[in-house]
């Protein structure tokens, strides 16, 4: 798989989002392990997780531990795999998602993630979601401390606006904001400005839920039918076309499609080798 970079670290152009393997509807552990191994087989070297990717109370870090187990049991070399995790979200076990961006919580969350992942240094640590009760600079300040202490290799933010990107750059140092992870898909394009801003600054942009809505692309009247039409031309899935369309937007884009089946991530990974024409890209932009 061709590579892109996050903070100077080379990773495969398509990553893997671990959330579906640990939240509602999650599969048996064996299938999740096989999914992660299939991603590694396909050349994926960026795996995204979070301490909040779990279902029940008392199992914070479920997805982190799952990824650690999958990496430990993989028969090949995993030394080039960058595991990105996040702190700042909380799941109390009642199905809700809550936020806690307090410095005390973020520090505790980072320490817990180090243990769950079984590492001395977290590859990429991201502030998961802004907490309206806490000044953004205070939350991001914890990431600066963790960088200075050598507990994280790279720092990133998620669900961020352009103003928050600028705050993070000031707090971390202009060259120390490695990534921005926002929702972006054919059905959800409101982060287009943040994507363009990251491209201008050379900051990796990690679209999460990049395949949102694309499963219905072939349905009559779907606003995403253009993705199916292009897929038919190449004999590939609309999911591959979607990811190739994102990759073409800027060299900083690294989609992280979630998967819970080996077949899904194997298909998605092939998007790194799919090159669309300028006319096709324009057609998809307008769909």
């Amino acid at each position: 798989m061709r590579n892109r970079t996050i903070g100077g670290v080379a990773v495969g152009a398509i990553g893997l989002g671990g959330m579906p393997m640990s939240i509602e509807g999650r599969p048996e552990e064996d299938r999740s392990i096989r999914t992660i191994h299939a991603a590694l087989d396909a050349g994926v070297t960026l795996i995204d997780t979070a301490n909040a990717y779990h279902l029940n109370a008392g199992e914070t870090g479920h997805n982190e531990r799952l990824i650690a187990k999958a990496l430990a049991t993989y028969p090949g070399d995993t030394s080039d795999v960058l595991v990105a995790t996040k702190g700042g979200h909380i799941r109390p076990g009642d199905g809700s998602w809550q936020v806690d961006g307090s410095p005390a919580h973020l520090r505790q969350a980072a320490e817990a993630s180090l243990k769950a992942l079984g590492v001395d240094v977290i590859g990429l640590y991201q502030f998961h979601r802004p907490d309206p009760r806490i000044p953004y600079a205070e939350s991001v300040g914890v990431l600066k401390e963790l960088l200075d202490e050598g507990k994280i290799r790279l720092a990133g933010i998620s669900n961020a606006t352009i103003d928050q990107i600028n705050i993070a750059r000031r707090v971390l140092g202009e060259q120390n904001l490695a990534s921005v992870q926002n929702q972006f898909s054919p059905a959800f394009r409101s982060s287009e400005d943040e994507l363009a801003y990251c491209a201008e600054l050379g900051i990796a942009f990690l679209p999460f839920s990049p395949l949102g809505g694309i499963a219905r692309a072939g349905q009559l009247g779907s606003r995403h039918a253009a993705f199916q039409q292009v897929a038919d031309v190449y004999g590939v899935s609309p999911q591959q076309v979607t990811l190739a369309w994102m990759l073409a937007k800027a060299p900083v884009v690294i989609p992280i499609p979630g998967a819970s089946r080996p077949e899904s991530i194997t298909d998605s990974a092939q998007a790194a080798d799919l090159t669309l024409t300028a006319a096709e890209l324009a057609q998809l932009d307008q769909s």
Side-chain angles (χ1 to χ4, degrees):
M1 185 187 294
R2 56 193 172 102
N3 286 340
R4 295 198 165 182
T5 60
I6 301 178
V9 177
V11 296
I14 301 293
L16 170 66
M19 185 172 71
M21 292 180 268
S22 290
I23 63 167
E24 288 80 355
R26 66 191 186 194
E28 293 296 320
E29 182 179 282
D30 176 70
R31 194 177 91 185
S32 293
I33 297 290
R34 288 189 288 110
T35 299
I36 297 168
H37 287 179
L40 298 172
D41 288 342
V44 170
T45 56
L46 170 65
I47 302 177
D48 181 77
T49 182
N51 67 338
Y53 293 166
H54 66 90
L55 180 59
N56 303 308
E59 60 172 21
T60 300
H62 178 278
N63 196 248
E64 294 171 321
R65 292 187 292 274
L66 178 67
I67 289 168
K69 183 174 182 178
L71 291 174
T73 57
Y74 185 65
D77 181 16
T78 60
S79 60
D80 61 345
V81 175
L82 179 66
V83 176
T85 192
K86 298 183 284 293
H89 247 320
I90 296 174
R91 299 207 76 192
D94 60 359
S96 66
W97 294 79
Q98 301 176 17
V99 293
D100 188 344
S102 65
H105 171 75
L106 288 173
R107 176 161 287 279
Q108 179 276 327
E111 296 287 353
S113 289
L114 283 164
K115 294 179 181 178
L117 291 169
V119 297
D120 296 323
V121 181
I122 294 171
L124 170 61
Y125 195 68
Q126 305 156 97
F127 178 35
H128 204 156
R129 186 178 291 275
D131 182 344
R133 302 167 301 175
I134 308 294
Y136 197 74
E138 290 186 17
S139 299
V140 177
V142 177
L143 274 65
K144 178 65 164 61
E145 294 171 1
L146 293 168
L147 274 174
D148 292 344
E149 294 165 10
K151 292 185 176 180
I152 66 175
R153 183 180 183 185
L154 300 169
I157 54 178
S158 183
N159 297 290
T161 64
I162 288 177
D163 285 345
Q164 289 163 344
I165 291 172
N166 288 332
I167 292 171
R169 293 179 74 223
R170 287 198 298 270
V171 172
L172 295 169
E174 288 188 359
Q175 304 305 314
N176 290 331
L177 178 61
S179 64
V180 173
Q181 181 180 151
N182 279 11
Q183 185 175 3
F184 185 75
S185 70
F188 192 95
R189 305 189 191 189
S190 62
S191 287
E192 191 99 45
D193 288 346
E194 286 76 14
L195 188 162
Y197 194 53
C198 285
E200 176 185 335
L201 296 173
I203 298 170
F205 184 84
L206 315 180
F208 74 82
S209 298
L211 302 177
I214 204 64
R216 297 182 295 279
Q219 294 179 0
L220 184 65
S222 168
R223 65 183 294 263
H224 308 313
F227 289 85
Q228 183 66 61
Q229 292 167 4
V230 174
D232 290 341
V233 171
Y234 290 94
V236 300
S237 69
Q239 286 83 358
Q240 281 189 45
V241 171
T242 299
L243 297 172
W245 166 70
M246 289 186 184
L247 289 172
K249 285 193 168 291
V252 300
V253 176
I254 307 170
I256 46 173
S260 62
R261 296 186 301 114
E263 299 82 2
S264 296
I265 190 57
T266 299
D267 180 75
S268 290
Q270 295 177 48
D273 298 319
L274 178 61
T275 301
L276 305 177
T277 68
E280 290 164 343
L281 292 170
Q283 176 188 358
L284 298 176
D285 283 340
Q286 296 167 10
S287 66

